[in-house]
Amino acid sequence: MRRLYVKSVVDLPNTKEAYTPAIIKTWEALQAPKAPPHWTTVFRWKNRYLNSGDDILALVDNTKNKGNRTSRYPVEVVELVDKAIENRYLQLERHTIQETLDYATTLVATENRLRPQSAQLPLPTRRLITSRTEAIPAFDRYAARHGRSAAVKRFRSLLRHRITSTPLERAEIDHTPLDLMVIDDESGLPLGRPYITACIDDHTRCLLGLYISFEPPSHFTVSRCLIHAFMPKTELKEKYPAIRNQWQAHGVMRELVVDNGPEFHSTSLENACYSLGIEIHYSARKTPWFKGKVERFLGTLNRSIAHGTPGSTFSNIFDKEDYSPDKFAVVRYDTLKEIANTWVTDVYHQKVHRSLGVPPDVMWARSIRPEDILIPDDPTHLGFILGRSEKRVLSHKGIEVYGLHYNSPELTALRRKLGDKLDVEVRIDTSNLGHIVVLSPKTQEPIKAPALQFEYANGLSEWQHRVCKQFAAREMKNYSPRGWLEAKERIRELIDRDFMHRKQRTRAKIARYRNNDASVEASGSLLSNDANANGSDFANPSPMAPDAAIPLTSFDIAEDKPAPRSRRITPLFRERTHSEIAAEQSDRVNTNHD
């Protein structure tokens, strides 16, 4: 470009009147740079070009080489400044530039005391500190001041995106404490902040399952949320008449994305998902964006039903200031459940989703037919399918679980057929220890066995049982099942008597012991299953008959049968082999590397 301007004036006299028309003509042809160069600029280009013997390199822009190229400070000062930055600025305490400058000045002053007057070092300036810190890569600088995990999160880059094509292809599940203080339904006293477990469909953004309780995140809360997700919410409007719309989203998903919480890394959950044909995907450590949809939903839920409500604890203590949540709490526990179900059904599912362009409820209806939705064939068995999986020995005493013994005529027949002592797998519904399910070693046939101490164990959760055992041992010096039964009644009397005088944290534990949150809402099949958890369905403790066992079939439905409203799947009670576990772990490692 410069050469063309020089060629246009090389034979012209060196005057403004001669140069200007030629420069304008050349600029109109090139339209570069943005404005025509001044005639004196072209005159300098011409002189440099002619003095170099018509060498075009003389016209190359050399602006980048302007300025000083050597440091204004001795090497010793730069080294001391780098040391100050390393020991002050690049620390998790996040010292400021001024504090770093003060420390660097102190280091240089200390060095000057050891030097003669003629060899004194100049003191560093704020500009030097700033230039040296800005020379450090932004990622390294942020990692040093905030931690590597925070730096990875801040500087992450979206290179690939998982896209789903149908509902129930992929679902995400997670927990969070609700930013709201809840009060007791009867006494009106503050109980504390409940936990929310949510499972969301990746494709439609519909919420599949929701579970609210005072139970901390555990396998129990995960299983209750999944049960709610699997089954239709047929009786939701009967339980909450104010709800206007149907909660359509339900069914067994193909993939379940979880984080690395201990409640997700359990053999019980893996076996349950394996029985139902669900593949578990574990996100990498400290990478919540791998399941960002459920993370965003939980934040939206908290802001919508908790923030701005009397008793809100806000998202952090700084927002709370002088506000006392327990003083202004007015939302009762049962009311909170109704609010949450109403918000999901009538607000979240009906509001246009920014990413979808349509409401999630409409997206669900457009994307899947009712007959394509997979649900378990027997909802009453879900408590055991998703229950805790453990190995036990079956003997003449039956099976011992948590100090309780279980036996039935069917187990006796199984021992007579296969041997007097058998290693068996049991499935335990931890919300109700009245029964367990024993899987036959060869056929994996489920056999329901009642507790021999049925009066005590029926309707009792595993956590309640543990509390009763501890109370009986500490207060009554009794370690027998009869002592546990007496402790159970004593604890119930103490709760009814002292609930009004307990502190808030203790009242939250009492609410957990009362098992107020043992039920899963919004589903007709599940409501009947909740009755099981409370003992109403176990009035007859007879074990399950052999012909009522769950058959081993695939997910297929015979073509000659009419298509039901929802496709029912039969869980395969089968334990994973070592080779299958190794293959799954290898796939997870390869997925994380990708």
Side-chain angles (χ1 to χ4, degrees):
M1 180 188 68
R2 291 186 178 186
R3 181 173 176 273
L4 295 176
Y5 281 105
V6 171
K7 288 294 186 181
S8 66
V9 299
V10 68
D11 297 327
L12 299 178
N14 298 327
T15 62
K16 178 180 180 180
E17 291 75 11
Y19 273 42
T20 300
I23 293 173
I24 295 299
K25 182 179 180 180
T26 305
W27 182 84
E28 290 177 347
L30 298 178
Q31 292 294 317
K34 293 182 179 180
H38 197 267
W39 76 274
T40 56
T41 301
V42 178
F43 173 71
R44 288 195 302 270
W45 293 348
K46 174 182 174 181
N47 285 341
R48 284 159 51 185
Y49 181 71
L50 296 176
N51 293 335
S52 65
D54 297 345
D55 187 1
I56 194 174
L57 295 179
L59 300 177
V60 176
D61 185 15
N62 202 27
T63 303
K64 64 179 182 180
N65 293 327
K66 292 180 180 179
N68 183 36
R69 289 292 174 270
T70 60
S71 175
R72 292 185 175 89
Y73 292 90
V75 177
E76 294 85 349
V77 176
V78 175
E79 291 178 352
L80 291 175
V81 167
D82 290 342
K83 180 180 178 182
I85 292 174
E86 181 71 25
N87 295 334
R88 285 293 185 273
Y89 189 77
L90 299 179
Q91 296 296 323
L92 293 175
E93 290 75 16
R94 304 174 200 169
H95 296 284
T96 62
I97 291 290
Q98 184 61 46
E99 291 173 331
T100 307
L101 173 60
D102 294 341
Y103 182 59
T105 303
T106 302
L107 293 179
V108 174
T110 302
E111 179 67 21
N112 283 337
R113 295 193 192 101
L114 306 177
R115 289 172 172 262
Q117 192 65 30
S118 59
Q120 293 288 299
L121 299 174
L123 295 178
T125 62
R126 186 183 181 91
R127 182 177 180 180
L128 175 62
I129 300 294
T130 303
S131 63
R132 296 298 296 178
T133 55
E134 290 179 350
I136 302 172
F139 179 88
D140 297 340
R141 188 167 65 243
Y142 196 89
R145 290 172 61 83
H146 298 82
R148 179 172 178 81
S149 297
V152 170
K153 181 178 180 180
R154 186 179 184 88
F155 292 90
R156 68 185 186 274
S157 177
L158 181 62
L159 302 178
R160 292 184 298 176
H161 183 65
R162 173 65 187 275
I163 300 177
T164 55
S165 57
T166 59
L168 299 176
E169 180 180 343
R170 188 173 189 263
E172 301 173 3
I173 188 171
D174 202 5
H175 323 270
T176 190
L178 187 66
D179 296 336
L180 184 67
M181 196 70 65
V182 178
I183 62 176
D184 183 65
D185 294 321
E186 299 177 1
S187 66
L189 295 174
L191 295 175
R193 298 169 59 188
Y195 291 92
I196 290 181
T197 305
C199 181
I200 192 171
D201 179 64
D202 186 280
H203 183 69
T204 64
R205 306 300 199 277
C206 280
L207 190 67
L208 296 172
L210 182 69
Y211 185 64
I212 304 175
S213 71
F214 286 97
E215 184 81 17
S218 62
H219 173 73
F220 174 79
T221 59
V222 173
S223 63
R224 283 300 176 269
C225 181
L226 290 178
I227 290 174
H228 190 222
F230 294 159
M231 301 306 299
K233 289 71 172 173
T234 53
E235 295 190 4
L236 178 64
K237 298 184 70 174
E238 296 181 9
K239 187 173 183 180
Y240 304 119
I243 294 180
R244 300 179 180 178
N245 298 281
Q246 291 288 346
W247 188 334
Q248 301 184 71
H250 70 280
V252 178
M253 65 289 300
R254 300 177 191 172
E255 302 174 9
L256 184 64
V257 184
V258 301
D259 57 25
N260 286 278
E263 64 274 13
F264 298 117
H265 281 278
S266 65
T267 305
S268 300
L269 180 62
E270 292 181 355
N271 286 341
C273 290
Y274 186 76
S275 299
L276 294 168
I278 302 173
E279 183 179 350
I280 301 180
H281 288 185
Y282 292 95
S283 58
R285 176 178 174 269
K286 293 187 177 181
T287 54
W289 53 90
F290 281 178
K291 51 181 182 62
K293 296 179 180 63
V294 70
E295 298 281 357
R296 174 59 65 89
F297 171 81
L298 290 174
T300 303
L301 175 65
N302 247 329
R303 289 188 296 270
S304 299
I305 70 175
H307 296 184
T309 303
S312 172
T313 61
F314 301 93
S315 57
N316 60 71
I317 60 174
F318 301 106
D319 293 339
K320 186 166 60 175
E321 296 180 345
D322 294 334
Y323 185 80
S324 178
D326 53 347
K327 181 179 179 181
F328 295 97
V330 297
V331 179
R332 298 181 181 272
Y333 185 46
D334 283 343
T335 304
L336 172 64
K337 294 180 179 180
E338 182 175 0
I339 291 173
N341 282 278
T342 303
W343 180 83
V344 171
T345 308
D346 290 341
V347 179
Y348 174 74
H349 280 172
Q350 309 305 322
K351 186 178 180 180
V352 176
H353 195 281
R354 184 182 61 180
S355 299
L356 301 176
V358 295
D361 197 59
V362 174
M363 187 68 175
W364 178 274
R366 289 179 181 177
S367 304
I368 193 169
R369 298 176 300 175
E371 56 267 22
D372 293 332
I373 299 176
L374 299 176
I375 62 173
D377 61 346
D378 192 346
T380 60
H381 292 155
L382 280 177
F384 297 107
I385 295 172
L386 290 166
R388 187 171 297 171
S389 175
E390 295 188 9
K391 295 288 187 179
R392 287 293 187 270
V393 175
L394 173 60
S395 65
H396 66 284
K397 296 181 180 180
I399 294 176
E400 182 179 354
V401 177
Y402 309 139
L404 298 171
H405 288 82
Y406 298 82
N407 212 339
S408 70
E410 283 72 21
L411 293 182
T412 301
L414 185 67
R415 288 178 52 245
R416 291 177 177 176
K417 182 178 180 180
L418 301 180
D420 59 335
K421 283 189 176 183
L422 301 175
D423 292 328
V424 295
E425 179 185 355
V426 298
R427 298 288 177 90
I428 308 163
D429 183 359
T430 55
S431 67
N432 183 6
L433 299 182
H435 291 77
I436 64 172
V437 167
V438 182
L439 302 183
S440 174
K442 289 187 176 181
T443 64
Q444 298 299 305
E445 174 190 341
I447 302 173
K448 197 172 183 180
L452 300 184
Q453 300 84 17
F454 187 77
E455 181 183 0
Y456 164 76
N458 186 35
L460 192 73
S461 71
E462 186 266 335
W463 185 78
Q464 290 173 323
H465 174 54
R466 191 164 64 246
V467 171
C468 291
K469 289 176 64 176
Q470 293 173 354
F471 183 86
R474 183 179 65 252
E475 303 294 338
M476 304 170 59
K477 307 300 180 183
N478 194 326
Y479 303 92
S480 65
R482 183 175 296 277
W484 301 342
L485 181 60
E486 295 176 2
K488 179 180 177 182
E489 298 302 323
R490 285 274 303 275
I491 291 174
R492 185 172 299 166
E493 294 173 1
L494 291 174
I495 287 176
D496 295 337
R497 187 186 70 189
D498 296 343
F499 181 76
M500 300 286 291
H501 309 288
R502 294 292 183 180
K503 294 182 179 180
Q504 176 184 309
R505 181 174 299 180
T506 305
R507 288 197 294 268
K509 292 183 178 179
I510 291 175
R512 180 185 177 189
Y513 180 84
R514 280 177 166 179
N515 210 17
N516 289 342
D517 52 348
S519 62
V520 184
E521 302 98 28
S523 170
S525 301
L526 295 177
L527 289 176
S528 63
N529 199 28
D530 295 339
N532 295 350
N534 295 325
S536 61
D537 189 49
F538 288 139
N540 182 12
S542 60
M544 182 172 55
D547 57 353
I550 302 176
L552 296 176
T553 63
S554 63
F555 294 126
D556 301 330
I557 294 180
E559 297 180 356
D560 56 341
K561 295 182 180 180
R565 180 166 179 79
S566 296
R567 294 175 60 195
R568 295 183 175 270
I569 61 173
T570 302
L572 303 178
F573 282 102
R574 194 180 66 165
E575 187 179 2
R576 298 175 302 157
T577 63
H578 292 292
S579 60
E580 290 171 333
I581 295 176
E584 291 178 6
Q585 293 175 346
S586 177
D587 292 341
R588 292 174 191 169
V589 172
N590 295 335
T591 302
N592 291 337
H593 285 317
D594 292 340

